[in-house]
Amino acid sequence: MSRAIKSCVEGASFHYLNTPSIPSIHGAFICDEVDRRGFDGQLIADIAGRSKDELLLPGGLVAPTTFFDMVLAAMEVCSTGDFGINFGLSVETLPFRDALASGLSIRAALCAPNLHRAIERLTYFSSLESRIFVNNTQLVDGACRIQVVAPWIQENLVPELQRFYIDTYFSYFHQKIIAFLGGEPKDVELRFTHSRPRCADSYDMFGAKVHFGANENSYSITEEQMSAPNVKYNRSTSALVVRQCEDALVARQGNVQKTWKSKVLGVISSEAGRCYPTLAEVAKALNIGERTLARNLKQEKDGYQNIVDQHRFHIAKELLRDTPNKVETIAQELGFSDASNFRRAFKKWAGRPPLEYRQLFQ
């Protein structure tokens, strides 16, 4: 995967800018779920001013506010707090995701060498495409904990809709892990920031320990399962699909307003070496004042040094996974003064030393 495309990394905060219209088919799935629960799904379709059949027409769109109203109405009609779980099982994509995130990125994930790489690919392309969910992977007590960060949701949606989106994401995510492993994952543990809903039976689908009212939204799975090899892995096929994802993303980004973070990353990624420019140098390249750039990044809840560190982390992982380069060489390429500083920084980012991380992919 090219470094320019991989320059956005997990752990970053995205704001969903210029929220597009939502495919009306998602509204149709909501109506279907309402019907399955014994209520009249047409009542929900009426909110969009269409019949259920019209919602299924290709190319149909609904405004985000209309979609949100449909979700809230469905939750009220069904008197349930776990509506997102069932919605996630009904539809293979999340609202706002198009062919890139729902198709190519899933294919790229399923043909990855192991689950760890599959999740990296899936969450990377999906987060870039939707700019809603970003995953931060950490190692905790022998398990890999994938923390879901959704700043746009938390800042812009009422609690009921926050719960809907998080539940939908986890049910979708869980299905993809099952598809990769060819069966239910073992010893899964989930944490939700929302309180236990009135009807929590749907959460049994995870076959896992589920904690409500936690301080994070996260999905934990054992390291052993994360590093298990994909028996169907084919290096050529995998590289081809990832390349297709990159091309689709480049085409997509040409029509999407870029954040200041993405503009900064564009300047950083264009550097031939890893001698990172200063904030002043980046501002000059972007034809903007240094203070103005810093202020714009702050409004996106980010900072220049944080962006550089995240970029370094992402490139470091790529070099450790895909090259035989020594740690000292990688440290030099990433602009560290010595290898010990790089080792210290990488352990802080990944939860383990560089060589131990590399062993996961050998």
Side-chain angles (χ1 to χ4, degrees):
M1 192 180 301
S2 68
R3 292 183 182 178
I5 296 299
K6 290 185 69 175
S7 58
C8 261
V9 297
E10 60 270 55
S13 293
F14 291 97
H15 288 273
Y16 195 84
L17 302 176
N18 295 332
T19 304
S21 296
I22 299 170
S24 59
I25 189 172
H26 295 303
F29 281 121
I30 289 178
C31 296
D32 286 344
E33 183 57 36
V34 170
D35 283 336
R36 275 192 290 273
R37 291 173 181 258
F39 300 95
D40 186 2
Q42 182 57 47
L43 293 175
I44 310 303
D46 288 343
I47 295 174
R50 306 180 192 179
S51 69
K52 289 189 291 183
D53 289 338
E54 288 174 330
L55 289 173
L56 288 168
L57 292 176
L61 298 172
V62 295
T65 52
T66 301
F67 179 78
F68 296 155
D69 288 342
M70 293 173 74
V71 173
L72 291 173
M75 295 174 73
E76 183 177 355
V77 167
C78 298
S79 299
T80 180
D82 61 351
F83 193 85
I85 295 290
N86 297 280
F87 180 77
L89 293 175
S90 301
V91 61
E92 283 295 304
T93 62
L94 287 172
F96 301 147
R97 295 190 176 180
D98 63 13
L100 171 65
S102 63
L104 283 174
S105 64
I106 291 174
R107 286 175 56 204
L110 293 179
C111 65
N114 56 37
L115 183 58
H116 192 284
R117 293 295 295 276
I119 289 175
E120 277 196 341
R121 289 180 179 182
L122 181 62
T123 58
Y124 170 73
F125 283 114
S126 297
S127 63
L128 279 183
E129 182 62 21
S130 69
R131 299 182 184 174
I132 293 181
F133 297 101
V134 181
N135 293 30
N136 182 26
T137 304
Q138 298 176 324
L139 295 169
V140 181
D141 299 329
C144 191
R145 181 178 295 177
I146 302 120
Q147 182 182 6
V148 176
V149 183
W152 183 85
I153 287 175
Q154 293 163 354
E155 294 172 8
N156 294 279
L157 300 182
V158 297
E160 292 81 4
L161 286 172
Q162 291 182 31
R163 184 170 66 245
F164 168 79
Y165 269 94
I166 294 298
D167 283 355
T168 300
Y169 182 84
F170 274 111
S171 56
Y172 160 89
F173 190 77
H174 188 66
Q175 288 181 89
K176 301 313 159 196
I177 288 182
I178 291 174
F180 185 91
L181 295 176
E184 293 280 349
K186 300 177 182 177
D187 301 321
V188 170
E189 191 166 357
L190 289 94
R191 291 172 176 79
F192 294 96
T193 55
H194 60 72
S195 58
R196 183 182 182 87
R198 296 186 300 275
C199 303
D201 292 346
S202 293
Y203 291 86
D204 293 341
M205 64 152 286
F206 295 110
K209 297 178 181 177
V210 180
H211 306 278
F212 296 101
N215 60 1
E216 65 179 17
N217 295 297
S218 63
Y219 185 108
S220 297
I221 186 170
T222 63
E223 280 190 72
E224 181 181 3
Q225 292 176 97
M226 289 287 281
S227 58
N230 180 2
V231 295
K232 298 181 180 179
Y233 173 62
N234 180 287
R235 184 166 186 162
S236 298
T237 302
S238 179
L240 175 62
V241 178
V242 169
R243 182 68 254 172
Q244 290 174 337
C245 276
E246 292 179 348
D247 293 342
L249 185 57
V250 169
R252 169 71 173 166
Q253 287 180 330
N255 298 316
V256 176
Q257 180 179 339
K258 293 184 178 181
T259 63
W260 283 103
K261 177 188 177 74
S262 67
K263 293 178 183 179
V264 168
L265 284 167
V267 175
I268 290 175
S269 300
S270 66
E271 295 293 321
R274 293 273 70 80
C275 183
Y276 287 87
T278 64
L279 176 63
E281 291 170 334
V282 172
K284 183 177 180 180
L286 293 174
N287 261 343
I288 189 174
E290 181 179 353
R291 290 185 179 180
T292 303
L293 177 56
R295 184 169 60 251
N296 289 339
L297 290 173
K298 186 176 181 180
Q299 289 176 348
E300 293 180 1
K301 298 193 175 179
D302 219 324
Y304 181 66
Q305 188 56 51
N306 187 47
I307 294 172
V308 169
D309 287 344
Q310 291 170 355
H311 187 265
R312 277 174 159 171
F313 179 37
H314 208 65
I315 299 302
K317 290 191 295 181
E318 181 181 68
L319 294 173
L320 287 166
R321 286 192 306 245
D322 303 332
T323 75
N325 295 357
K326 294 182 179 180
V327 169
E328 290 76 11
T329 303
I330 295 175
Q332 184 178 15
E333 183 174 353
L334 293 175
F336 284 90
S337 57
D338 56 57
S340 60
N341 284 338
F342 168 64
R343 290 189 181 95
R344 210 163 23 245
F346 190 88
K347 186 173 182 180
K348 178 181 177 182
W349 296 330
R352 62 177 69 198
L355 291 181
E356 187 176 330
Y357 177 84
R358 171 175 274 170
Q359 290 173 357
L360 292 173
F361 305 97
Q362 294 178 341

